[in-house]
Amino acid sequence: MPLRALLYRRPSEPQAIELVFDGMMYLVRLSRHRRARRYTLRIHAATREVVLTIPPRGNVKEAKSFAERHGGWIAGRLGRLPEAVPFAHGTVMPLRDGRHRIVHRRAARGTVWREIDDRGNRLICVAGDTPYIGRRVSDFLKREVKRDLETATRRYAEAIGVKIKRITVRDQSSRWGSCSTTGVLSFSWRLILAPPFVLDYLAAHEVAHLVEMNHSRRFWRLLERLCPNMARAKVWLDVHGPDLHRYGAPDPRRSGTGRISDISDI
Ligand SMILES: [Zn+2]
């Protein structure tokens, strides 16, 4: 194999190609993979991203024709996914226990704040120019979730006498939370979109891993004692969890590993 074939991407190659199918335009991200044996298409359900893997000896022209041959598959898969909901003026979205509407207040001072209008509707108000709404709402939600998680994890850590090193909030599509061997707890910011008993369960789950770094019977017994709502939260996540991935613009830096559909050329 020539050395240059080992490179993930050649400098002259585009990062993505546009595919037109049935009058619709789809963006297909190209990803060179040195161990790929063939052209492969994947759709990341959480981010709605279409990724085409190119094998080392492949090229963009062939990739494009592969994507074109599978235009129907791409359109069909994307069409079956629930619609993405961007953070924009008028968007109705869940936040903790209730539905909120995003309202753009361009000329107002400040960045993002919550309000209740005359009719009792809960609002997330955003100041500033239109292009910044999505970013501002997403930053606001990450701050909120971090505060909730800090409170919840501290409570559980005190209850079982452990110390948390640090909490990080990420946009991970594959997991709601994780615990590293160094004691760092990571959570998905999307937990702020779920009812508080769900966030509490995830907080308890990761704190319990500071005692039991596994999913043994002892772990579940400890967790049940910490979080009586465990069963209810697990059911809620199974039923409603995937829906939370519809909200907000996907983070382009993420290498989504969530629910994936794929097709390959044989
Ligand atoms: Zn776990």
Side-chain angles (χ1 to χ4, degrees):
M1 187 186 295
L3 187 62
R4 68 189 174 91
L6 293 171
L7 295 174
Y8 277 18
R9 187 190 306 284
R10 295 168 195 177
S12 57
E13 255 174 36
Q15 301 223 337
I17 52 173
E18 289 174 356
L19 169 72
V20 177
F21 179 82
D22 215 9
M24 290 280 285
M25 205 270 282
Y26 301 92
L27 197 67
V28 178
R29 188 159 72 77
L30 301 179
S31 160
R32 220 170 239 289
H33 206 286
R34 69 189 159 99
R35 262 179 274 161
R37 296 242 179 105
R38 56 182 90 98
Y39 291 91
T40 313
L41 270 169
R42 282 172 202 277
I43 292 182
H44 295 281
T47 58
R48 305 178 67 84
E49 193 182 32
V50 184
V51 181
L52 199 164
T53 301
I54 306 178
R57 284 163 190 278
N59 59 55
V60 176
K61 194 166 165 251
E62 279 176 11
K64 198 156 188 174
S65 105
F66 179 72
E68 273 159 9
R69 282 205 302 283
H70 295 293
W73 183 85
I74 294 173
R77 286 294 162 131
L78 287 176
R80 260 178 278 154
L81 292 178
E83 225 171 294
V85 183
F87 293 141
H89 176 74
T91 289
V92 175
M93 54 174 284
L95 173 60
R96 296 194 183 91
D97 259 336
R99 283 156 55 89
H100 285 67
R101 183 182 295 276
I102 297 176
V103 176
H104 186 202
R105 299 254 172 87
R106 186 193 303 271
R109 291 170 74 94
T111 51
V112 179
W113 64 98
R114 291 171 63 198
E115 251 180 53
I116 295 179
D117 72 8
D118 306 341
R119 287 187 226 148
N121 297 315
R122 287 181 270 199
L123 312 177
I124 296 172
C125 303
V126 193
D129 289 335
T130 309
Y132 304 117
I133 297 178
R135 194 26 168 326
R136 286 193 158 181
V137 171
S138 132
D139 288 348
F140 166 77
L141 295 174
K142 284 174 188 164
R143 282 196 302 273
E144 294 287 300
V145 79
K146 193 149 189 206
R147 217 175 46 207
D148 286 10
L149 285 165
E150 268 162 4
T151 308
T153 50
R154 200 179 309 133
R155 192 173 64 232
Y156 291 122
E158 271 167 20
I160 54 172
V162 290
K163 272 215 152 38
I164 298 160
K165 198 164 175 198
R166 197 156 46 91
I167 286 182
T168 63
V169 167
R170 299 199 208 154
D171 191 3
Q172 42 192 12
S173 57
S174 56
R175 290 191 283 188
W176 296 109
S178 59
C179 173
S180 80
T181 46
T182 56
V184 178
L185 310 184
S186 301
F187 297 92
S188 161
W189 67 265
R190 291 171 193 279
L191 288 170
I192 198 69
L193 308 176
F197 75 88
V198 176
L199 178 139
D200 280 349
Y201 160 67
L202 257 302
H205 184 121
E206 301 314 330
V207 168
H209 275 316
L210 294 173
V211 178
E212 295 285 340
M213 207 29 146
N214 50 55
H215 288 129
S216 63
R217 203 174 300 168
R218 282 222 311 258
F219 168 81
W220 291 113
R221 266 207 303 270
L222 170 65
L223 185 50
E224 219 164 354
R225 220 172 60 225
L226 265 184
C227 178
N229 266 327
M230 176 174 97
R232 192 174 151 225
K234 285 171 84 171
V235 169
W236 193 97
L237 279 172
D238 277 351
V239 176
H240 305 285
D243 195 54
L244 302 186
H245 288 293
R246 296 160 60 208
Y247 295 93
D251 185 341
R253 287 161 302 178
R254 179 171 55 185
S255 61
T257 48
R259 264 188 314 143
I260 286 173
S261 307
D262 62 13
I263 192 171
S264 28
D265 211 9
I266 299 159

